[in-house]
Amino acid sequence: MTGKRALVLGGTGMLAGCAEALVTDGWHVVLPSRRHAPIPAAEGNGNGHRKAIWVQASWSEPAALAEGAARALGGLADLLVAWVHRTERVAVLRAVAPLLAPNAPVVEVHGSASANPVGGCPDPVLEGHPTQQIVLGFVQHAGRTRWLTHQEISAGVLDGVRRALAGKPPAVHQVGEFRPVHR
C-alpha cells in the first residue's frame, strides 16, 4: 500500500469530521475505537473508493490498540491525530509511537478540563515528532455559553492538521473561549 497514512485516535466521535476530511483528501485513515462508527467512502483518483478503516480497540489496552492499528495502517503513519483521555494519554501515545514515520507530525487535542492556554498544556509525549496542541473551550452565543459543536471541533483540529503538515513550529492553539466574559 502506498500513499499518505493517518492514525486518528478518538476519531469516531467528535473528530469524525476531521477523519472524513482526511479521507476526502486522499489519506488512508485508521480509526482505533471501541465503537464502530463508519466514515463515508470518498471517490478515489481512479483507485475506486477510499475509506477510513475502523479497528476495534480500547485505550485501556494500549499494546493491543497499537497492534491492531499497525495491521490496518499497512506501513508507518505520516500523521497522528490524538484525542485521548489524560489518564490513558501517555501509555497510548507511547504504544503507537513505533507506528509513526520519522518526524511524522502529531496533532494532540485536549479538552479544557485537561489543558488551557492560560494554565498550560501537558508536555508533548513523542519526542522527534513536532506536535501541534489544540485546546477546546466553549462558545458565547446569545448571552449564554455552550460547548463547541462536532463541526467546530473538527474545523479547529483540521486547522492544526494543516499547520502540522505545512511544517509550522509546534504551538498551542485555542478553539473557542476558556473564561466566561462577565458583563
Side-chain angles (χ1 to χ4, degrees):
M1 159 169 228
T2 60
K4 304 176 287 186
R5 294 176 182 93
L7 178 58
V8 182
L9 304 174
T12 60
M14 291 186 212
L15 295 183
C18 177
E20 186 174 346
L22 288 168
V23 168
T24 300
D25 287 347
W27 288 79
H28 170 73
V29 178
V30 173
L31 301 164
S33 173
R34 287 177 300 169
R35 293 182 315 264
H36 183 249
I39 302 294
E43 293 298 322
N45 299 342
N47 298 332
H49 295 287
R50 293 185 304 267
K51 63 181 179 174
I53 297 175
W54 173 73
V55 175
Q56 180 148 6
S58 172
W59 294 338
S60 64
E61 298 177 22
L65 181 152
E67 184 179 309
R71 281 192 303 272
L73 279 167
L76 296 177
D78 304 296
L79 171 67
L80 170 63
V81 179
W83 189 353
V84 181
H85 293 156
R86 69 180 135 181
T87 54
E88 292 98 352
R89 176 180 168 261
V90 172
V92 169
L93 292 177
R94 286 186 178 151
V96 301
L99 307 181
L100 302 179
N103 301 312
V106 173
V107 177
E108 232 194 305
V109 183
H110 305 283
S112 58
S114 63
N116 68 65
V118 176
C121 283
D123 289 332
V125 174
L126 304 178
E127 286 187 36
H129 295 280
T131 301
Q132 300 291 329
Q133 296 192 70
I134 311 299
V135 182
L136 306 174
F138 60 88
V139 173
Q140 295 275 349
H141 181 71
R144 296 180 174 229
T145 59
R146 65 166 175 80
W147 293 113
L148 296 165
T149 65
H150 290 201
Q151 184 178 8
E152 290 165 335
I153 291 168
S154 284
V157 173
L158 280 169
D159 284 344
V161 166
R162 288 184 197 102
R163 285 190 295 272
L165 294 173
K168 300 288 184 186
V172 176
H173 308 279
Q174 174 179 324
V175 179
E177 300 177 37
F178 295 98
R179 294 185 179 191
V181 177
H182 298 288
R183 297 176 194 252

